Amino acid sequence: MPPADSTPVTPSSLLAPAVSLQGITMVFGDVLALDRVDLDLIPGTRHAVVGENGAGKSTLMKVLFGLLSPTAGQVRIDGAPRRLHSPADAIALGIGMVQQHFDLIGPLTVAENITLGSEVVSGPFLDRAAAEAAVGRLADDSGLAINPAARVETLSVASQQRVEILKALYRKARLVILDEPTAVLAPSEARDLWEATERLASEGRTVVFITHKLEDVMAHADFVTVLRRGNRVLSKPVAETDPGELAAAMVGVPGASASVHATDAAPPRTGAERPVPVLALRNLTVRGQRGEVAVRNASLEVRGGEILGLAGVDGSGQTEMIEAIIGLRPSETGSVMLREEEITHFSVARRRKAGIGYVPEDRLHRALVLSFSLEENAILGRQRDPEFASGSGFLRLGAMRAFLQERASTFDVRGTGVGKSARALSGGNQQKLVLARELSRRPAVLIASQPTRGLDFGASAFVHRALRAERDRGVAVLVQSLDLAEVLSLSDRVAVMLGGAIVGVVSHAEATEESIGELMTGARGA
Amino acid sequence: MVALLLGAVIIALAQKSVTAPAEAYSSLFRGAFGDPSAWSNTLARAMPLLLTGAAVFVALAAGLFNIGAEGQLSVGGLAAAVVGITFKSLPAPLLLGLSLLAAMAAGAAWGYLPAYLKVKRGAHEVITAILLNYVAQNTTRYLATGPLREPGGAAGQTAEVGATLSRLSPNYDLHWGLVIAAVAVALTAVALRRTVWGYETRAVGQGPGAAEAAGISVARVQINAMLISGALAGLAGAVVILGEVPFRRFPSDFYGSGYGFDGLAAALLAGGSAWALFPAALLFGGLASGAEQMTFDVGTPKQIVSVVQAILIIAVAARLVVRRPGNRPVSHTPGSEVIPPSVAAPEPGSL
């Protein structure tokens, strides 16, 4: 059901872009994230935006959705320049976006989530039946099958994604942005999604999607735009291009293969030099937040002097497994071994003392006390070390300050004024502080969860260098990331999780985006 | 300020006079800080608030809302009275020390219950502490009117304790309890800021997830904080009961003095620093002692002061809510897809 105010599909409107971005420039600090990028989006088509990590794809989409205000350039809708100050402006102009991380309220039903903000009412009461009927009609019309009365938290990731798309459609979106829509989907679910986007386009809507996968571009897009380091390097109908040309445009060299990853890595090691596992999991089973079996009988070894990458679709049990290693989550059966010692029943403090360093995924809630001063954060977990605590239980404030200064200069943490809180630091500097703290204990095992999430290029590179340096020092490093390119570029070996089980451990030489991707989605058995 | 202005409007309405607020406030101020005896009265009322304020403050520092201070204060006061009556034959200094310790132990035990239930059973400490307040109220009342009532004495109170906290000066009602309270607040402030215990307590209060990941036991810290909180509230009960004035006996209506709840208000008003408990307690003490003067001089109902207090607390609470910085997710910060132009092109084929 096309919304009442949608542009009728006529030959003229097919040619004229409904939405066009002109000369979009985005500067963050001294970093040029987008450099005069143009993008024309034509109704009734599907437009793929591709590029490597850090190319500016998400930034461009955030500008289009009003999440970011561009430094220069303008957004024209139906020919008229528009200022998008917030997503509310974008929604009012018929633009919807489905982010990678969904914005849904778990305990509410599908219909309640979709109608949130424009509820169907009857007098002072919510008209639940009418809302569900409206959502049901919308779902039928758009081919996005869903039960309007189901509670969102009971739905699969793919269904939640459908809810997000329906939410955009319910608000009469003429243009739907999908940020890496298949990253969280199994292959069959992805097929359903692509069918739905086809239908949306056939109704005259515009679909813009970000992707890494060139085969998706070739199969499911009408137009493609390639970004490289903030510049638009190619934009043309898909029919007039081929994967080779796109891959070359992405990496900037003609003839590059389709699976090139950005990397400044030194050649990875084989891991065979130090065959002794420092950290070993033996048949570990762990329950998740809701009591479900989140990790199933997992066995894994991390050797000294290697980086073991942990890949998997979000929610495959990586988080729970790492929490069980660090001691934040009890393990049901199996054991965690550090060197030869079983530490399964150690407290977090004892495990850390025994030599486990941890860079948590959730920097703001797990890694730092945001309201604490920087020197307080710098010793978090070490506050009982004689270095920082006197025998009578008082903190050595002078030692804390000196320690912060030393750590900040070694790890290039900027903005460490006296008395500043951790909240005042940028994400990159926060992460450097966390690394500086964790590495100060000279751990035998370093566990880093999503270590570069939300960081800019420079900070990411710094974090990667630090992880490699630890590896070279002989530390057993376990890196979990949802960013497959990151896992591939860092790891000496890659372990893949799917549905709570470790479905494969692949050496660096054999690890490609394809081979790991197949393991991640279950397309190929171990 | 808002609280005083709103209070003025209420007074004007209650007295049906435009000048009434000015008279009332000037009388309130005289009663609170007008002369040495007013000061003495104010300080005497501020004394227990210092301790209950510190009690609530410590719990807040660990992320717990100790609404049970009133109950802990009552059982602490009762314990002090029981020891003070039972062991009358002991030398006075020893008896005094024992009474204070008994009060702290009783308060700590009363504070331990909600902490234990929260940590081990997941029950919210506010609910359990409110329920325990009822238990404390009715138990202490029953004991003071029943088994512990002084034989042949006046109804609804125990016998006199054997040793009291003596006056600081014969002319005023202030006694050594004030010194104990001031020292306790100072110790609390220093300990929270400067010791490992305080560091861990604040870490749990301000960033429980990070504290846990750093190896700090959230359960242990919270239980310790409630033990200390309860002990401070219990101590407050003891210094009131054991003071040479006004009690020396445990009255059946001791629960309801409001010292526990006013301590809660003082701790909220103090905000981030335990040192701020001093002005906060002084303010509430002044309001209470000024209220009596105001009632005496102008006939303004004493309840007006309670209204002003309540508005004050709401104003503080509202400011806290407005000021609290939103926990924005990182994904909103720009720069997740940023590449500096100066970075050399990655070498293709290095993989």
Side-chain angles (χ1 to χ4, degrees), chain A residues 161-179:
Chain A
Q161 188 180 51
R162 284 202 287 275
V163 175
E164 282 282 11
I165 297 173
L166 285 169
K167 207 162 94 182
L169 297 183
Y170 187 80
R171 289 157 192 199
K172 311 231 181 292
R174 292 186 289 148
L175 186 154
V176 179
I177 307 165
L178 306 170
D179 191 355

Side-chain angles (χ1 to χ4, degrees), chain A residues 28 31 352 371 376 384 395, chain B residues 194 199-200 206 210 213 334 338:
Chain A
F28 296 123
V31 172
R352 283 176 159 280
S371 50
E376 284 174 329
R384 285 166 184 263
L395 292 170
Chain B
R194 300 289 304 271
Y199 176 93
E200 293 186 351
Q206 294 168 42
V338 168

Side-chain angles (χ1 to χ4, degrees), chain A residues 28 31-33 52-59 62 67-68 229-230 253 260-263 328 348-349 352 358 364-369 371-372 376 379-381 383-384 389 393-395 397 423 454-457 508, chain B residues 190-191 193-200 202-204 206-216 220 325-351:
Chain A
F28 296 123
V31 172
L32 187 60
E52 290 186 309
N53 280 325
K57 308 179 297 276
S58 288
T59 307
K62 283 177 181 169
L67 282 165
L68 295 173
R229 291 191 287 135
V253 171
V260 169
H261 309 293
T263 174
L328 290 167
V348 177
R352 283 176 159 280
Y358 178 40
L364 304 181
H365 296 109
R366 277 287 188 205
L368 296 164
V369 179
S371 50
F372 263 24
E376 284 174 329
I379 66 156
L380 188 63
Q383 68 279 358
R384 285 166 184 263
F394 278 85
L395 292 170
L397 301 182
R423 196 190 307 278
L455 301 191
D456 64 32
F457 186 87
H508 179 86
Chain B
V190 170
R193 222 10 67 208
R194 300 289 304 271
T195 66
V196 173
W197 167 78
Y199 176 93
E200 293 186 351
R202 287 183 293 120
V204 166
Q206 294 168 42
E212 191 188 9
I216 298 171
R220 184 180 49 77
N327 281 333
R328 298 239 144 201
V330 260
S331 58
H332 280 247
T333 51
S336 54
E337 276 262 4
V338 168
I339 206 163
S342 58
V343 174
E347 283 172 36
S350 66
L351 238 175

Side-chain angles (χ1 to χ4, degrees), chain A residues 226-490:
Chain A
V226 180
L227 295 180
R228 174 156 44 89
R229 291 191 287 135
N231 290 288
R232 187 180 82 162
V233 290
L234 180 151
S235 194
K236 55 164 69 170
V238 169
E240 296 169 19
T241 185
D242 61 69
E245 185 188 18
L246 294 178
M250 279 167 71
V251 299
V253 171
S257 88
S259 62
V260 169
H261 309 293
T263 174
D264 55 356
R269 307 200 166 176
T270 59
E273 306 149 38
R274 291 168 194 260
V276 199
V278 180
L279 176 74
L281 310 181
R282 306 236 185 277
N283 307 101
L284 198 67
T285 295
V286 183
R287 288 196 180 270
Q289 208 63 50
R290 296 184 301 277
E292 79 284 9
V293 176
V295 178
R296 203 180 301 273
N297 203 25
S299 295
L300 192 66
E301 290 183 347
V302 191
R303 302 169 193 149
E306 75 165 349
I307 296 178
L308 180 74
L310 187 58
V313 175
D314 197 5
S316 299
Q318 308 97 312
T319 307
E320 288 84 355
M321 188 169 91
I322 283 174
E323 285 179 350
I325 297 173
I326 191 71
L328 290 167
R329 187 174 283 282
S331 26
E332 185 134 303
T333 58
S335 54
V336 182
M337 312 286 293
L338 182 63
R339 297 194 194 90
E340 303 288 83
E341 190 181 14
E342 171 157 7
I343 59 166
T344 320
H345 301 291
F346 279 23
S347 68
V348 177
R350 258 184 97 187
R351 291 180 203 223
R352 283 176 159 280
K353 211 165 198 145
I356 297 184
Y358 178 40
V359 178
E361 174 175 349
D362 188 343
R363 200 171 336 156
L364 304 181
H365 296 109
R366 277 287 188 205
L368 296 164
V369 179
L370 289 181
S371 50
F372 263 24
S373 72
L374 294 175
E375 53 262 42
E376 284 174 329
N377 271 298
I379 66 156
L380 188 63
R382 298 190 59 186
Q383 68 279 358
R384 285 166 184 263
D385 286 10
E387 193 181 344
F388 303 115
S390 72
S392 53
F394 278 85
L395 292 170
R396 299 184 198 275
L397 301 182
M400 285 165 62
R401 271 192 289 273
F403 180 71
L404 172 67
Q405 266 168 17
E406 181 271 317
R407 288 281 97 185
S409 69
T410 309
F411 281 79
D412 191 31
V413 187
R414 314 256 175 93
T416 56
V418 177
K420 264 199 177 173
S421 73
R423 196 190 307 278
L425 292 186
S426 70
N429 284 312
Q430 287 177 340
Q431 190 72 327
K432 286 179 187 175
L433 181 64
V434 173
L435 264 174
R437 178 183 75 208
E438 295 302 319
L439 300 184
S440 74
R441 302 178 89 156
R442 304 242 129 203
V445 174
L446 179 66
I447 298 169
S449 237
Q450 302 254 62
T452 59
R453 181 174 162 191
L455 301 191
D456 64 32
F457 186 87
S460 298
F462 186 96
V463 169
H464 286 171
R465 273 201 302 281
L467 294 176
R468 289 196 184 97
E470 287 305 294
R471 184 259 318 269
D472 296 343
R473 213 167 61 71
V475 173
V477 183
L478 176 63
V479 177
Q480 182 257 318
S481 177
L482 297 178
D483 181 351
L484 192 49
E486 174 171 52
V487 172
L488 288 171
S489 76
L490 273 177

Side-chain angles (χ1 to χ4, degrees), chain A residues 47-95:
Chain A
H47 197 127
V49 177
V50 296
E52 290 186 309
N53 280 325
K57 308 179 297 276
S58 288
T59 307
L60 187 66
M61 292 304 111
K62 283 177 181 169
V63 168
L64 179 54
F65 191 52
L67 282 165
L68 295 173
S69 284
T71 314
Q74 61 179 358
V75 178
R76 297 179 87 93
I77 295 175
D78 296 330
R82 299 283 193 171
R83 284 221 151 265
L84 303 176
H85 294 289
S86 69
D89 292 347
I91 290 166
L93 289 165
I95 298 172

Side-chain angles (χ1 to χ4, degrees), chain B residues 146-170:
Chain B
L148 296 178
R149 180 180 162 190
E150 184 182 19
Q157 59 181 18
T158 65
E160 219 171 283
V161 295
T164 58
L165 294 160
S166 51
R167 289 177 190 240
L168 292 169
S169 144

